[in-house]
Amino acid sequence: MQNIPVSDLPTSVQFDFTTGIFAPALDLSERRISDLAEMYYDQAAVQKMLQGGNPVIYEIRYHPFVTSNSDMSLGVTRLFPGKVGDEYHMTKGHFHERLDQPEIYFCIHGEGYLLLETREGDFRAERWQPGTITHIPPQWAHRVVNTGSDVLFFVASYHIAAGHDYAAVAQRGFAQVVVERDGKPTFVPNPRRQ
Ligand code: F6R
Ligand code: ZN
């Protein structure tokens, strides 16, 4: 994102609870299966989806709020329903670069899980439904999984200065993956770590 406007005045945007879209947004990013290819354990299923048109898995609208001595960002992610093989659609997931930077996630619509893991391997999964608000402490990687049949959208609030470190999650994933078994979301050990 370039040319972020600086303003010391209060600023508002308007959020639509039915669509998960707010305006104005200063930036919109799309993440397609090609951007997430290495994240899913079933590489044959990834290849099939790439050949089938490279669908969008999620999109994020951002609005940075920068003053002369502070920086915050609002990010709203819309994670579309579906699976890659039997693994549910999910965000890439990341650590914050800075070790002192937490985040708030607020689930507005849809259902799923927020996966969290430290570098030491402490793993948690928070069950998500509309209205669930989770505080992500510093040094916990975070990823959202949509296990429902509808779009899942959530609001994120964080400091821009937190930075994003995607490398560790890209290499190893999380301790567990969420897959559909017997028609139900099920946690299994990550095959990429075995
Ligand atoms: C910011 C944050 C969210 C995510 C967004 C997409 O720190 O956690 O705004 O950036 O949900 O997920 P990733 O960044 O993992 O692709
Ligand atoms: Zn984050």
Side-chain angles (χ1 to χ4, degrees):
M1 209 179 306
Q2 289 171 355
N3 302 323
I4 298 177
V6 177
S7 169
D8 288 328
L9 297 174
T11 309
S12 302
V13 297
Q14 196 63 37
F15 183 79
D16 182 333
F17 280 95
T18 53
T19 61
I21 293 173
F22 71 88
L26 292 197
D27 196 35
L28 168 64
S29 287
E30 284 181 342
R31 302 264 205 275
R32 294 176 180 272
I33 187 68
S34 55
D35 302 310
L36 291 152
E38 62 198 318
M39 306 287 174
Y40 288 94
Y41 82 87
D42 185 344
Q43 285 297 305
V46 170
Q47 289 309 317
K48 214 169 150 187
M49 283 177 79
L50 284 170
Q51 286 154 15
N54 195 19
V56 176
I57 307 297
Y58 58 101
E59 60 183 26
I60 316 141
R61 283 175 177 75
Y62 299 98
H63 199 301
F65 300 101
V66 178
T67 74
S68 43
N69 65 359
S70 68
D71 70 77
M72 287 289 289
S73 184
L74 168 71
V76 177
T77 302
R78 299 171 76 237
L79 176 56
F80 301 111
K83 296 189 296 286
V84 179
D86 62 4
E87 191 173 4
Y88 293 98
H89 282 183
M90 60 195 185
T91 59
K92 279 183 160 184
H94 58 266
F95 285 95
H96 291 167
E97 270 167 12
R98 269 180 54 169
L99 304 182
D100 60 350
Q101 288 298 312
E103 184 160 3
I104 295 281
Y105 272 9
F106 183 172
C107 176
I108 306 287
H109 187 269
E111 58 183 297
Y113 290 90
L114 170 60
L115 310 185
L116 302 129
E117 189 172 0
T118 65
R119 291 190 192 273
E120 292 71 41
D122 195 355
F123 174 80
R124 301 291 155 91
E126 298 290 312
R127 178 89 182 95
W128 263 24
Q129 58 191 6
T132 309
I133 303 172
T134 307
H135 172 248
I136 301 164
Q139 303 181 49
W140 285 80
H142 37 290
R143 160 180 287 168
V144 175
V145 183
N146 182 352
T147 59
S149 54
D150 205 353
V151 60
L152 184 161
F153 46 83
F154 64 96
V155 173
S157 177
Y158 57 99
H159 286 293
I160 298 168
H164 294 94
D165 172 4
Y166 288 94
V169 172
Q171 279 157 18
R172 304 187 66 229
F174 283 69
Q176 297 189 30
V177 296
V178 192
V179 296
E180 185 182 78
R181 294 283 153 83
D182 299 324
K184 289 197 299 275
T186 307
F187 284 80
V188 299
N190 181 357
R192 292 173 61 207
R193 289 201 188 175
Q194 284 165 358

